[in-house]
Amino acid sequence: MSEDTQSHKEKMQERQAQQRKKVAELKDPDKGLVLVHTGAGKGKSSSAFGVAVRALGWKQKVGVVQFIKGKWKTGERQFFDRLGEVTWHTMGEGFTWDTQDRDRDIAAAQAAFGKAREMMESGDYDLIVLDEINIAMRYDYLSVDEVIAGLDTRDKRTGVVLTGRDAKPELCAYADLVTEMTEVKHPFKAGIKAQRGVDY
Amino acid sequence: MSEDTQSHKEKMQERQAQQRKKVAELKDPDKGLVLVHTGAGKGKSSSAFGVAVRALGWKQKVGVVQFIKGKWKTGERQFFDRLGEVTWHTMGEGFTWDTQDRDRDIAAAQAAFGKAREMMESGDYDLIVLDEINIAMRYDYLSVDEVIAGLDTRDKRTGVVLTGRDAKPELCAYADLVTEMTEVKHPFKAGIKAQRGVDY
């Protein structure tokens, strides 16, 4: 064994010991976590659907309520429809800039959140994705207070992922985990169209 | 219609017009894009699997090569195994700190990348996820030059997502899109264990 290999081995053994010690000190959470995916970069919704895939892999029960996006045909929607294992509700009004009636938008967001609250309280789900709900709060279709009140009444077993840019600070303070996706380099800026599969 | 509703309608109409103009000016890319998911935050791999789900929703062909993570049983692996639609290869050595033989790690990474290159060149895939490959470059198991050379020989139709923290600057310069996931608030820091479904 070369010297390099030997020092690599020692370093890796030390790292392994540290890792085991760290893990042994951690405790299981007593309830499903609240995760927020925000920021101007890509990956907020797709990573929520990746988390859904993980949960399904462990045979957990997953629900999705999509705020804002409705009319657009998305790959994720087609995939999960075909799979038939996920309860899926869409607010059903298309992008906000496709509707021009604020009162209708508010009513749609409220109805969608009513559905979400029902699912969170039911105890039937391990994971619920509230996709783009931060946008509904940003436009004041939903208040952050009512969203937090809804999260508070969720069943102990249920984790919730809330996605969308411009997450409210009060929601971030309430959440167990907040991840910000930052756009470092984006093809749209270079004049390239959104692509099936990658972008929707 | 109230004044508020009226001004909302005008704002939304203007936004819609701007959006349509922007989209009309965009061009379709002439090849599959190279996407990098990096940063210290969560969501790098899960969002790659979310993109995989989108692609599958559009009946695209998806392949995954996982670097580093091998022994650990993950939700995503179980899910896609059960689904049976994704070609999946794992380097098969567990986390780096589980192996203590640098030469073996290098050989395993090289073999995995050989498989990845074969898949990229084949023209059989719309999307290939090279999960945690940035870690393999960070440990010098793979050079960034050989990874870029491999990406260069990929079939025109094939998009590639490369994940893992500490992406090499040369790779980011080469990529079409780079997203950085930043940890704003993390439950591990509060002493909570990784959870099935959410974390793996």
Side-chain angles (χ1 to χ4, degrees), chain A residues 17-26:
Chain A
Q18 281 171 359
Q19 183 66 14
R20 284 197 181 138
K21 186 166 173 289
K22 238 167 81 184
V23 167
E25 284 165 357
L26 296 171

Side-chain angles (χ1 to χ4, degrees), chain A residues 103-117:
Chain A
D103 299 335
R104 207 175 61 170
D105 286 347
I106 290 173
Q110 291 287 343
F113 191 66
K115 187 71 215 170
R117 200 163 33 208

Side-chain angles (χ1 to χ4, degrees), chain B residues 71-86:
Chain B
K71 271 192 241 161
W72 245 34
K73 204 171 166 184
T74 62
E76 60 266 30
R77 178 66 196 262
Q78 293 178 75
F79 177 83
F80 287 116
D81 273 357
R82 213 172 64 211
L83 187 70
E85 292 178 18
V86 171

Side-chain angles (χ1 to χ4, degrees), chain A residues 124-167:
Chain A
D124 292 339
Y125 297 88
D126 299 283
L127 179 77
I128 296 174
V129 177
L130 304 181
D131 190 38
E132 302 289 5
I133 192 170
N134 291 334
I135 306 293
M137 284 183 265
R138 175 193 181 197
Y139 281 110
D140 291 320
Y141 296 166
L142 293 173
S143 77
V144 64
D145 288 347
E146 69 189 309
V147 171
I148 289 174
L151 290 169
D152 251 343
T153 63
R154 79 186 185 281
D155 188 86
K156 228 173 111 106
R157 86 180 254 211
T158 306
V160 183
V161 187
L162 303 95
T163 82
R165 59 173 71 192
D166 297 323

Side-chain angles (χ1 to χ4, degrees), chain A residues 1-2 4-5 8-10 12-13 15-16 19-20 23-29 31-33 35 37 41-60 69 73-76 78-80 82-83 85 96-103 105 127 139 141 171-188 190-200, chain B residues 1-2 4-5 8-10 12-13 15-16 19-20 23-29 31-33 35 37 41-60 69 73-76 78-80 82-83 85 96-103 105 127 139 141 171-188 190-200:
Chain A
M1 207 183 263
S2 72
D4 255 20
T5 304
H8 174 78
K9 186 173 169 165
E10 279 162 18
M12 289 296 153
Q13 278 174 333
R15 188 165 299 163
Q16 190 178 32
Q19 183 66 14
R20 284 197 181 138
V23 167
E25 284 165 357
L26 296 171
K27 56 180 191 293
D28 275 316
K31 54 172 186 175
L33 300 178
L35 282 63
H37 296 176
K42 285 173 61 61
K44 296 181 288 293
S45 295
S46 58
S47 116
F49 296 123
V51 170
V53 155
R54 283 193 176 140
L56 293 168
W58 291 111
K59 311 247 176 199
Q60 295 179 354
K69 285 174 184 167
K73 203 173 168 183
T74 61
E76 59 265 30
Q78 295 179 74
F79 177 82
F80 287 117
R82 213 172 65 212
L83 187 70
E85 293 178 17
T96 358
W97 47 80
D98 278 343
T99 71
Q100 283 137 22
D101 182 341
R102 182 170 167 80
D103 299 335
D105 286 347
L127 179 77
Y139 281 110
Y141 296 166
L171 177 67
C172 294
Y174 179 85
D176 298 294
L177 180 143
V178 180
T179 307
E180 188 167 331
M181 278 71 173
T182 312
E183 187 178 297
V184 180
K185 197 175 172 185
H186 199 299
F188 289 9
I192 295 175
K193 250 187 196 161
Q195 282 191 297
R196 271 192 182 178
V198 170
D199 292 302
Y200 58 91
Chain B
M1 205 182 270
S2 71
D4 255 19
T5 304
H8 174 77
K9 185 171 170 167
E10 279 162 19
M12 289 296 153
Q13 278 174 334
R15 187 164 299 163
Q16 190 177 33
Q19 182 65 11
R20 283 197 181 138
V23 168
E25 284 165 357
L26 296 171
K27 58 181 190 293
D28 274 316
K31 54 171 186 176
L33 301 178
L35 283 64
H37 296 176
K42 285 174 62 61
K44 297 182 288 293
S45 295
S46 58
S47 116
F49 296 122
V51 170
V53 155
R54 283 192 177 142
L56 292 168
W58 291 111
K59 310 245 177 204
Q60 294 179 355
K69 284 175 184 165
K73 204 171 166 184
T74 62
E76 60 266 30
Q78 293 178 75
F79 177 83
F80 287 116
R82 213 172 64 211
L83 187 70
E85 292 178 18
T96 357
W97 47 79
D98 278 343
T99 71
Q100 284 138 22
D101 182 341
R102 182 170 167 79
D103 299 335
D105 287 347
L127 179 76
Y139 282 110
Y141 297 166
L171 177 68
C172 295
Y174 179 86
D176 298 294
L177 180 142
V178 179
T179 307
E180 188 166 330
M181 278 72 174
T182 312
E183 185 179 297
V184 180
K185 196 175 173 185
H186 198 299
F188 289 8
I192 295 173
K193 251 189 198 161
Q195 282 191 297
R196 274 192 180 179
V198 170
D199 293 300
Y200 58 92

